[in-house]
Amino acid sequence: MTFRQFAFNNVKRNTRAYLSYFLSCMFAVVVFFMYTVVIFHPQIATYDFIDAVKLGIVVSEIIIYLFSFLFVLYSTATFIKSRKKEYGILTTLGISKLQLNRMLILENTIIGLASIFAGILVGALFTKLFLMIFSFILGTGEVFSFYLSWKAIAITVLLFFIMFEVNSLLVVFTLRTKSIMEVFRGAQAPRKKPRFSWILSILSLAAVVYSYYLAYTSDMISIMYRMFIILALIIPGTYFLFTQFSIALTSFLQRRKGIFYKHLNLLIISDLTYKLKDNARLLSMVTILSAVAFTSSGVLYGFFQSIEDETERFVPHDFSLVAEGEENKQAFIESINQVETIFHETNTPFQSMKVPAVKTTSISSSPDWDNVELIAFSYSNYQKMMEVNDQAPPSPIEDDQALLLTQPILSSYIPQIPNKLRFNSGKNQTELEIKTGENTTNATIFATNALIVPDAVFTRFKQSGKQFFYYTAHIPNWIQHIDEIEKAEAAVTSPNIFPDSKASIYTSFKKTMSYLFFFGIFISVLFFLAAGSILYFRMYQGIDKDVAHYYSLYRIGLTDKEMRQIATRQLVFLFFLPFLVAVIHAGFAYKALQNMLVSSVFIPSVYIISFYFIVHFINFIFIRNFYLSKLKKTWRASTL
């Protein structure tokens, strides 16, 4: 048997051990390869979004590659650690360090090449489906043809081959610094009684709870800076939650005799305490990876599903035009004629009206509301606009009152509005009592907020203020007339006429979220699969210790059924505790998202968590069956 055959047989004999690692690496190759195919696809080069797509793909490829590098490095080191006894035996039989290093590099190269080959093959099989999804999400109107790029294949093979080889060299370097006895002892080490700190336990719980509070009470503005605070708290908080609080919890259960001495709990809790201590770092890492996957997937899917609702929130009127100054009145009227001509030609139903408006400036002792520019409408015209757009009727106002309409998205950051404000009306000033409400007109480049005043007050404003013209059109089922609305908007060519519509905002939102969703969802799944693989690696690494432990239990009289129960309950705890904590983390992230959106994110989040739970449960069943069969074979063989 040659040296290469020896290395190949080693990989073949450890197929089950390497299966999860192989599949995770293969998935990374598949995603990387399919994204690269998109870059070089000739049809995509004809679209105006090619630059944005290429930028997004390059960023995604970098994230995938860097994460895969760290994942492969961790996985290779884990498997080598689990086989240190084997390497120790080879060392005592006379294998040189050079030969041992060569064998390790050769084994990892075999697995790496197999992952690359299988990944490109699977990627090629699913490239057509991937391109169909890509064209659908981005709304290209055509399905891209099947295409395989030799450049994509060459880049994928080269980069991942370099990654596997560099990782092999790094792991071999760490192994060669070990003595023969250290290698021979492998992963075994005497167990010390798990200890914990009540102070760190309480602080970890406090950090996690406070980060939940920040997420629960955040909005679209505050989340921008709170996000960094939350990450700074949740990552170390999760780490100490597993290294300290989990041990504190099991120690508490050990002191509860009614629980500890019931059925098999004595054996389950005692051994689980040690396993939690041994695997605390790994469990915290799996929790963070899973939480990242849940949060990113849920946020992207939630945003994607709520595009229409958010569009209606940001743009209350289906279509609008605004112009400033009497000198632009004629161009304003011509633009209206162009828009309505297109609506008639395309059979687009609509109701419309044009109203005068005027710019006014507030005067107040409060610096936040002094010299603030507002677009003022008369109450009667505003009421008519509400009727045209099928909106709720406005609150009635008295002759000495005004209705100040502010953007709802900024409600938390709008300074306290005084009970009364004065407004310039030529040489005179008019003081009005202020009532507040949400802006139900489209925001303009001239002013964000609107002011609704009595008709008599508006007449005084109009005599001295800067004249504006506002046109609004209500289009029933506007979502079905996006192309027609965008065509009408494009027909407005005058530089002094400013159009706005739900259609253009919707298209912009959808394109942006499509890019993010398309690039982010596969990376999120990759993170989650890596988290599941890490659990599998850790279980396989400690299987020798578990075999000895269960063999001892078998000798003192426990039945196969009882040992399966103990093993299953411990695996359930180790597998689903990180999943549960990650779901709670993600749940508060979803609440932060809900604070920013008008549509419910509950159903999308349920879909996302359900999908990941099914994948995680299937992975658990596979690992549990493998684990129990391995234990049973070993303790049965030991009794013969």
Side-chain angles (χ1 to χ4, degrees):
M1 182 170 61
T2 64
F3 193 80
R4 291 181 180 177
Q5 290 174 327
F6 180 70
F8 179 79
N9 288 334
N10 276 338
V11 175
K12 186 178 179 182
R13 282 193 295 267
N14 289 279
T15 301
R16 275 191 169 185
Y18 283 112
L19 183 60
S20 182
Y21 167 61
F22 168 78
L23 292 176
S24 298
C25 293
M26 186 190 74
F27 183 79
V29 174
V30 169
V31 177
F32 188 93
F33 172 70
M34 290 192 298
Y35 277 156
T36 310
V37 168
V38 172
I39 293 179
F40 295 104
H41 198 289
Q43 285 180 263
I44 297 176
T46 61
Y47 287 88
D48 56 0
F49 56 69
I50 182 61
D51 293 334
V53 169
K54 281 187 175 181
L55 178 61
I57 291 178
V58 169
V59 173
S60 301
E61 299 273 54
I62 292 173
I63 294 174
I64 293 171
Y65 190 77
L66 291 178
F67 180 77
S68 300
F69 184 92
L70 296 175
F71 172 74
V72 170
L73 180 63
Y74 172 83
S75 306
T76 306
T78 300
F79 279 119
I80 287 179
K81 188 176 181 180
S82 67
R83 295 175 60 195
K84 278 185 177 180
K85 272 192 175 182
E86 177 185 333
Y87 302 145
I89 293 174
L90 291 174
T91 302
T92 57
L93 291 176
I95 190 173
S96 66
K97 287 186 178 181
L98 181 62
Q99 289 175 316
L100 180 61
N101 293 344
R102 181 187 169 195
M103 184 188 73
L104 293 175
I105 294 174
L106 191 56
E107 286 181 8
N108 206 48
T109 300
I110 292 172
I111 298 170
L113 289 175
S115 300
I116 295 171
F117 176 78
I120 292 177
L121 180 62
V122 173
L125 293 175
F126 284 94
T127 293
K128 178 61 177 178
L129 177 62
F130 187 77
L131 291 171
M132 289 174 61
I133 296 173
F134 176 79
S135 57
F136 172 76
I137 290 178
L138 298 187
T140 59
E142 64 172 330
V143 177
F144 296 135
S145 60
F146 177 78
Y147 178 76
L148 282 181
S149 169
W150 289 108
K151 292 181 180 179
I153 295 175
I155 290 174
T156 304
V157 171
L158 178 63
L159 290 180
F160 276 86
F161 180 77
I162 291 174
M163 181 184 72
F164 280 108
E165 295 305 300
V166 171
N167 275 308
S168 299
L169 293 174
L170 290 174
V171 173
V172 164
F173 177 80
T174 61
L175 183 66
R176 76 177 177 83
T177 62
K178 306 289 185 180
S179 66
I180 293 178
M181 289 306 298
E182 286 176 324
V183 174
F184 189 76
R185 282 196 299 267
Q188 293 184 357
R191 282 185 168 185
K192 297 180 181 179
K193 183 179 179 179
R195 298 182 179 277
F196 66 92
S197 168
W198 277 113
I199 296 177
L200 289 177
S201 300
I202 295 173
L203 287 177
S204 66
L205 192 61
V208 172
V209 170
Y210 184 63
S211 65
Y212 288 167
Y213 168 77
L214 292 177
Y216 192 89
T217 58
S218 64
D219 53 37
M220 186 169 290
I221 305 299
S222 63
I223 194 62
M224 302 304 293
Y225 65 87
R226 285 189 180 187
M227 179 171 55
F228 300 102
I229 302 175
I230 292 172
L231 290 175
L233 290 173
I234 203 71
I235 294 176
T238 302
Y239 173 78
F240 287 111
L241 202 65
F242 282 98
T243 59
Q244 303 296 322
F245 187 78
S246 63
I247 309 303
L249 180 61
T250 54
S251 298
F252 172 78
L253 293 176
Q254 286 177 331
R255 291 195 293 270
R256 304 287 294 181
K257 295 182 180 181
I259 299 175
F260 188 58
Y261 293 110
K262 186 177 181 180
H263 301 302
L264 299 173
N265 288 352
L266 184 149
L267 296 173
I268 295 173
I269 296 175
S270 297
D271 193 44
L272 187 61
T273 304
Y274 286 94
K275 286 193 173 183
L276 283 173
K277 188 66 175 179
D278 294 340
N279 300 315
R281 293 181 181 179
L282 177 138
L283 294 176
S284 64
M285 179 169 60
V286 169
T287 300
I288 295 299
L289 287 176
S290 301
V292 169
F294 300 162
T295 301
S296 57
S297 300
V299 168
L300 291 173
Y301 186 61
F303 267 123
F304 192 75
Q305 290 293 310
S306 64
I307 292 175
E308 183 176 344
D309 291 334
E310 292 308 304
T311 299
E312 293 183 345
R313 178 190 185 188
F314 280 94
V315 189
H317 291 177
D318 299 336
F319 186 91
S320 66
L321 296 173
V322 64
E324 178 184 18
E326 190 71 27
E327 65 276 11
N328 293 312
K329 183 176 181 179
Q330 186 59 37
F332 178 74
I333 295 174
E334 292 175 358
S335 296
I336 292 175
N337 293 334
Q338 292 174 328
V339 168
E340 294 189 347
T341 298
I342 293 174
F343 285 162
H344 287 302
E345 290 176 351
T346 56
N347 296 318
T348 303
F350 72 97
Q351 293 177 304
S352 66
M353 69 174 295
K354 55 181 179 291
V355 297
V358 65
K359 181 186 289 186
T360 185
T361 305
S362 64
I363 302 171
S364 174
S365 57
S366 170
D368 293 322
W369 286 99
D370 187 45
N371 200 33
V372 176
E373 293 184 338
L374 301 164
I375 298 294
F377 296 93
S378 70
Y379 179 82
S380 59
N381 284 332
Y382 177 67
Q383 189 175 31
K384 292 176 183 177
M385 283 195 296
M386 298 284 280
E387 292 173 356
V388 166
N389 286 281
D390 286 340
Q391 295 173 322
S395 302
I397 56 176
E398 303 295 336
D399 292 341
D400 60 345
Q401 292 179 333
L403 184 61
L404 180 58
L405 305 179
T406 57
Q407 293 297 321
I409 192 172
L410 301 174
S411 58
S412 300
Y413 294 89
I414 293 176
Q416 181 66 36
I417 301 175
N419 294 328
K420 292 184 177 182
L421 284 174
R422 287 176 295 159
F423 299 95
N424 281 324
S425 54
K427 297 180 180 180
N428 301 318
Q429 295 180 357
T430 302
E431 185 176 67
L432 298 171
E433 181 183 340
I434 300 300
K435 299 175 66 176
T436 59
E438 293 185 355
N439 196 353
T440 53
T441 63
N442 290 356
T444 69
I445 64 170
F446 303 106
T448 302
N449 303 321
L451 184 71
I452 312 302
V453 297
D455 291 6
V457 175
F458 181 78
T459 301
R460 293 201 301 270
F461 284 0
K462 190 176 179 182
Q463 291 174 353
S464 55
K466 185 70 175 180
Q467 300 296 308
F468 277 81
F469 305 97
Y470 187 85
Y471 170 83
T472 178
H474 172 59
I475 303 169
N477 299 320
W478 64 269
I479 197 72
Q480 300 177 5
H481 302 282
I482 290 178
D483 292 338
E484 294 87 343
I485 296 173
E486 289 185 330
K487 182 179 179 182
E489 190 171 354
V492 181
T493 56
S494 175
N496 298 318
I497 311 300
F498 301 94
D500 194 13
S501 70
K502 288 179 180 177
S504 60
I505 300 299
Y506 175 83
T507 302
S508 177
F509 277 174
K510 186 176 181 181
K511 183 180 293 186
T512 301
M513 290 312 305
S514 296
Y515 293 163
L516 293 176
F517 184 77
F518 182 76
F519 298 136
I521 197 69
F522 290 101
I523 297 176
S524 299
V525 174
L526 177 63
F527 273 48
F528 182 70
L529 291 179
S533 298
I534 289 172
L535 286 172
Y536 175 81
F537 303 154
R538 187 63 185 89
M539 180 276 300
Y540 185 83
Q541 181 183 341
I543 200 167
D544 290 337
K545 287 183 180 180
D546 294 341
V547 165
H549 173 70
Y550 285 106
Y551 177 61
S552 300
L553 297 179
Y554 183 78
R555 292 185 63 182
I556 64 176
L558 266 69
T559 64
D560 288 353
K561 181 180 179 180
E562 289 173 328
M563 287 189 291
R564 284 197 301 270
Q565 288 178 353
I566 294 173
T568 299
R569 290 177 185 178
Q570 289 183 349
L571 282 177
V572 166
F573 197 86
L574 292 174
F575 261 76
F576 289 97
L577 178 62
F579 186 91
L580 177 62
V581 176
V583 168
I584 297 173
H585 285 356
F588 282 91
Y590 295 154
K591 179 59 174 70
L593 176 65
Q594 184 64 80
N595 294 343
M596 295 182 282
L597 304 179
V598 293
S599 58
S600 174
V601 299
F602 177 75
I603 298 301
S605 63
V606 169
Y607 287 156
I608 291 295
I609 298 300
S610 299
F611 167 75
Y612 282 117
F613 178 79
I614 292 171
V615 174
H616 195 64
F617 185 76
I618 293 172
N619 191 33
F620 166 75
I621 295 298
F622 166 76
I623 293 175
R624 172 188 173 274
N625 291 340
F626 166 71
Y627 182 77
L628 292 180
S629 64
K630 182 75 173 179
L631 291 179
K632 188 174 182 179
K633 285 180 183 179
T634 306
W635 72 55
R636 285 296 188 189
S638 302
T639 59
L640 298 178

